[in-house]
């Protein structure tokens, strides 16, 4: 049974014995990633608590490549994926990737505690379980080189993040970390300074001290430059005439 066929069971909360994960992202897990760990009752409660705390803080061990017949990372992982969450809370005990092409590649976050390892594919947040072996020796085959330098397309999943079908965290939902990180931080209009505050004007203008309790909007508009009155021009002209007359008298003498 494919994951697409299980969409109709979204409200049932069933546990299915086997599913085919042939189209990652089609039926993503829509629940709380942290709370999903409690469905694994065979994991000791203390271990579940540590896994949940690390997932809440997004402290994953590594990012792995998920291939059709393998999971590649710094450790030797078993190829099987099991106990996968999907939809609004259903679980598939055994998951097959037999319909994947040889070139198919997904990425996932791995969290391990006390030999219990969880896999969270970034494309659909389908919390699952995998088996991890020993750390690979230096130079052993691991993740593909080109993937090591490629930035993550999706944010590391977090608890209760709203999602859209076919996408991961940060693929368009308003509550994603990507949108939160990309949102510009508004500049403050004033900064506290002792009993008063300093108004922060637009770029290019100086700071203006405000008295206690005053609002930046209460600042008066800058006074315009004064324009000389007609009387001022007359006095200026009279002074020039007086200077000219004094100079002419000195010339005659």
């Amino acid at each position: 049974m494919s994951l697409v066929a299980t969409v109709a069971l979204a409200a049932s909360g069933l546990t299915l014995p086997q599913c085919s994960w042939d189209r990652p992202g089609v039926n993503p897990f829509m629940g709380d990633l942290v709370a999903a760990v409690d469905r694994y009752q065979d994991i000791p409660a203390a271990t579940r608590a540590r896994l949940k705390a690390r997932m809440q803080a997004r402290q994953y061990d590594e990012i792995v490549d998920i291939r059709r017949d393998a999971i590649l990372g710094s450790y030797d992982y078993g190829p099987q994926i099991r106990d996968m969450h999907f939809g609004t809370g259903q679980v598939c005990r055994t998951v097959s990737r037999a319909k994947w092409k040889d070139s198919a590649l997904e990425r996932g976050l791995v969290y391990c505690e006390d030999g219990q390892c969880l896999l969270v594919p970034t494309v659909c947040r389908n919390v699952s379980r995998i088996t991890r072996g020993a750390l690979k020796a230096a130079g052993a085959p691991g993740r593909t080189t080109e993937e090591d330098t490629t930035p993550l397309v999706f944010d590391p999943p977090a608890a209760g993040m709203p999602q859209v079908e076919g996408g991961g965290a940060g693929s368009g939902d308003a509550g994603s970390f990507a949108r939160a990180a990309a949102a510009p931080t508004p500049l403050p209009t004033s900064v506290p300074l002792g009993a008063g505050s300093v108004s922060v004007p637009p770029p290019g203008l100086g700071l203006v001290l405000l008295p206690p309790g005053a609002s930046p909007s209460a600042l008066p508009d800058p006074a315009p430059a004064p324009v000389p009155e007609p009387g001022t021009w007359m006095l200026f002209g009279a002074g020039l005439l007086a200077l000219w007359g004094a100079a002419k008298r000195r010339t005659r003498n």
Side-chain angles (χ1 to χ4, degrees):
M1 173 185 244
S2 69
L3 289 181
V4 178
T6 62
V7 175
L9 303 176
S12 63
L14 293 179
T15 298
L16 301 179
Q18 186 174 5
C19 297
S20 175
W21 192 38
D22 55 343
R23 297 177 62 190
V26 170
N27 190 22
F29 177 53
M30 304 297 291
D32 189 316
L33 297 185
V34 175
V37 180
D38 287 328
R39 289 288 296 269
Y40 305 138
Q41 288 295 306
D42 60 309
I43 299 178
T47 303
R48 292 202 312 269
R50 287 192 292 271
L51 286 168
K52 291 165 64 176
R54 291 186 57 196
M55 291 177 69
Q56 183 72 49
R58 302 194 303 280
Q59 296 175 347
Y60 49 89
D61 292 272
E62 66 171 327
I63 303 173
V64 296
D65 289 348
I66 307 172
R67 298 283 187 175
R68 184 183 66 181
D69 300 316
I71 298 175
L72 303 177
S74 301
Y75 290 79
D76 285 319
Y77 292 96
Q80 294 80 18
I81 298 177
R82 65 189 189 279
D83 297 332
M84 175 179 281
H85 288 72
F86 61 93
T88 57
Q90 295 73 55
V91 175
C92 271
R93 291 300 184 194
T94 304
V95 179
S96 170
R97 307 188 299 280
K99 295 183 180 180
W100 283 30
K101 297 180 180 180
D102 290 338
S103 58
L105 169 66
E106 296 295 343
R107 306 175 73 186
L109 310 182
V110 175
Y111 301 84
C112 290
E113 284 288 337
D114 301 331
Q116 303 289 340
C117 293
L118 304 183
L119 173 68
V120 183
T122 58
V123 70
C124 54
R125 307 168 69 249
N126 293 61
V127 185
S128 312
R129 298 176 70 178
I130 57 176
T131 302
R132 187 173 78 175
L135 181 67
K136 290 181 179 179
R143 294 181 59 221
T144 53
T145 303
E146 62 269 17
E147 287 296 324
D148 288 337
T149 58
T150 303
L152 278 175
V153 177
F154 303 107
D155 294 333
M161 294 290 291
Q163 299 294 311
V164 293
E165 183 170 324
S171 61
D173 48 278
S176 71
F177 288 93
R179 285 186 177 271
T185 302
L187 293 174
T189 57
S190 63
V191 179
L193 184 63
S197 62
V198 176
S199 174
V200 180
L205 298 181
L207 297 179
V208 180
L209 291 175
L210 296 179
S215 170
S217 59
L219 286 174
D221 294 332
V227 178
E229 297 292 336
T232 303
W233 288 111
M234 293 179 64
L235 289 174
F236 181 72
L240 290 177
L241 288 175
L243 291 174
W244 177 76
K248 189 173 182 180
R249 284 193 296 272
R250 285 197 299 270
T251 302
R252 289 177 178 177
N253 296 331

